Amino acid sequence: MTISKPVFDRLGFILWVGAFLVVLVLVLVAPDSRTVMLAYRYGSEEFLAGRPLYNIRSEMGYLYAPAFAALYVPLVKLGPYLGGLVWHLLGFGVLTYAAMRQVRKLGGGELTWLLSFGLFLALPMALGAIRNGQSTVLLTGACWLLTLSALEGRRAETFFWASLAIIAKPTAIIMLLLAGALRPRLIPVLVLSVLFVLALPYAFAPAGYLNDQYRDFAHMLTSMAVDNSSHFVPTDFTAPFTRLGLPIPEFNATIVRVVMALFTLTAVIWFDRRLEFGTAGLAIFLTATFYMCVFNPRVEPNTYAMIAVPAGVAVALLWREERGGLLASVLATTLFLTGLTGVEAHIHEFFYPWFRPVAVTFIAGSLIWWFWVGAGEKVANAGPVANG
């Protein structure tokens, strides 16, 4: 099956950039419509005024670290229009750069097609988070670049991307733990990045005020992990069972998360030791984002934007290596159509919140299986590859 069709050498990338330009226009026309940036602005304004950042009696509102509020202040000063443009450009730029860097690491032929096709498949699932200006976009790019930098042993880059990822969202700690397990010699750098992010706000606000905010922040995170009441509807692996009227008790769900965490750790270590560097980086990050999406108790539909681009690139790689085939075709179609389930109200109502965890489990599980069995056999036949 021929896959190097000239029309796709550029089409996917053009659509990716074109859709983002449309988003920028929408930001200029209505900066406060369909956006979570109001919460970011609220956090920075409260930080500047020395008022409490968190409402510990609610799981909604400002849910980010104090460092995020401090570093978002310049964007607040720029105003909703220019500040919105800069924020969207930052997240989109980091994510696109991460995808381009990953594709270059994969090597082989048809790299332009690989990137273009991967972005095309990822666009429907990623576009909602990009439109809303969610920090998930920045988190994804930073965690991806952290993965590649850590595997290469680049200390300064690892520190920078780890710090940026933690600032974007606290869930980045999962990626830091995996990076530390894969490269133990980088553990001091990763710890330093966490300490840096924790200490950074103290340069801009009184210590007593920040101590109170960190105490509330920790209380909010721990309470949200066990309290699924009120407005928030989780879209993790428990959602399909809840939709069927068979809710999973929190204790049992925690056991599943722990078991899958051990599987994730085992898989990324295996990929690191058995696969070529470029392929290993993609397989490791895909596995990590699968865990961070499907087994995160605070996941929502747009959180799945985190796995969209790595899954798209992985499907494109599968298509290139296998010269198409049934599995690649089914995964490509499923990934693309999954992102379209929210475009119409009735369709969204039918598929929410159970469908995305099911579809992503099928897509990511198939790709992880392919990396583990198919690609693993090819590398094993040629002899182990040392990545660390």
Side-chain angles (χ1 to χ4, degrees):
M1 187 175 188
T2 302
I3 62 173
S4 57
K5 299 177 180 179
V7 68
F8 256 117
D9 282 348
R10 296 288 187 274
L11 178 61
F13 188 77
I14 291 173
L15 291 174
W16 177 258
V17 175
F20 178 67
L21 293 178
V22 172
V23 166
L24 293 185
V25 172
L26 294 174
V27 171
L28 289 175
V29 172
D32 294 335
S33 175
R34 291 180 55 84
T35 181
V36 296
M37 294 172 60
L38 295 174
Y40 304 160
R41 274 184 246 154
Y42 168 82
S44 293
E45 290 167 354
E46 297 299 284
F47 180 84
L48 288 174
R51 294 190 292 261
L53 295 174
Y54 309 102
N55 180 0
I56 59 178
R57 292 181 297 276
S58 172
E59 82 288 3
M60 310 301 284
Y62 184 79
L63 306 175
Y64 305 86
F68 188 102
L71 295 184
Y72 197 81
V73 167
L75 299 182
V76 174
K77 298 296 185 181
L78 289 175
Y81 296 96
L82 183 56
L85 288 178
V86 173
W87 174 251
H88 280 81
L89 284 168
L90 175 63
F92 181 83
V94 171
L95 176 57
T96 304
Y97 170 64
M100 295 173 66
R101 181 171 169 182
Q102 175 65 80
V103 168
R104 287 199 300 268
K105 299 296 181 184
L106 291 174
E110 300 176 314
L111 294 184
T112 302
W113 176 88
L114 201 65
L115 175 66
S116 184
F117 190 49
L119 292 177
F120 170 76
L121 295 177
L123 182 58
M125 191 180 292
L127 190 58
I130 294 173
R131 168 65 183 99
N132 294 348
Q134 291 187 324
S135 61
T136 299
V137 180
L138 179 61
L139 171 70
T140 304
C143 284
W144 205 342
L145 292 165
L146 161 64
T147 302
L148 297 176
S149 298
L151 293 179
E152 292 178 330
R154 298 177 181 269
R155 296 177 182 273
E157 287 186 12
T158 299
F159 172 82
F160 176 78
W161 294 120
S163 301
L164 185 60
I166 299 169
I167 292 171
K169 269 192 176 182
T171 50
I173 195 67
I174 296 174
M175 199 66 248
L176 268 69
L177 292 173
L178 290 176
L182 294 173
R183 296 293 183 271
R185 64 179 179 274
L186 291 179
I187 291 178
V189 175
L190 298 170
V191 172
L192 184 62
S193 69
V194 175
L195 296 177
F196 170 75
V197 171
L198 292 175
L200 185 62
Y202 286 92
F204 306 99
Y209 165 73
L210 284 170
N211 291 340
D212 292 338
Q213 302 316 300
Y214 276 119
R215 182 173 57 252
D216 290 344
F217 182 55
H219 178 74
M220 181 191 66
L221 291 180
T222 54
S223 63
M224 286 194 308
V226 298
D227 182 12
N228 292 327
S229 61
S230 194
H231 301 89
F232 180 74
V233 178
T235 319
D236 64 344
F237 76 97
T238 64
F241 297 96
T242 303
R243 183 63 178 267
L244 293 172
L246 302 170
I248 300 178
E250 185 59 35
F251 178 77
N252 295 345
T254 300
I255 293 177
V256 173
R257 292 187 179 104
V258 171
V259 171
M260 290 307 300
L262 295 175
F263 166 78
T264 300
L265 178 61
T266 302
V268 300
I269 291 175
W270 193 93
F271 292 147
D272 182 49
R273 293 180 177 178
R274 293 293 181 178
L275 298 180
E276 296 176 352
F277 169 73
T279 307
L282 178 58
I284 288 168
F285 187 62
L286 175 72
T287 306
T289 54
F290 170 57
Y291 181 83
M292 294 171 74
C293 288
V294 177
F295 299 96
N296 175 7
R298 286 292 301 178
V299 71
E300 56 187 5
N302 277 332
T303 306
Y304 286 89
M306 190 169 193
I307 199 172
V309 180
V313 174
V315 171
L317 177 64
L318 168 63
W319 198 304
R320 188 189 72 175
E321 295 300 313
E322 304 294 337
R323 309 304 298 178
L326 179 61
L327 179 60
S329 300
V330 170
L331 293 182
T333 303
T334 304
L335 177 59
F336 189 83
L337 293 181
T338 298
L340 299 177
T341 55
V343 298
E344 199 273 332
H346 295 90
I347 296 176
H348 173 74
E349 183 179 356
F350 176 77
F351 286 108
Y352 177 80
W354 63 273
F355 182 71
R356 289 206 172 186
V358 173
V360 167
T361 297
F362 169 68
I363 295 167
S366 299
L367 291 169
I368 292 170
W369 170 82
W370 178 69
F371 281 124
W372 189 301
V373 177
E377 287 179 353
K378 295 179 183 179
V379 175
N381 291 335
V385 177
N387 287 327

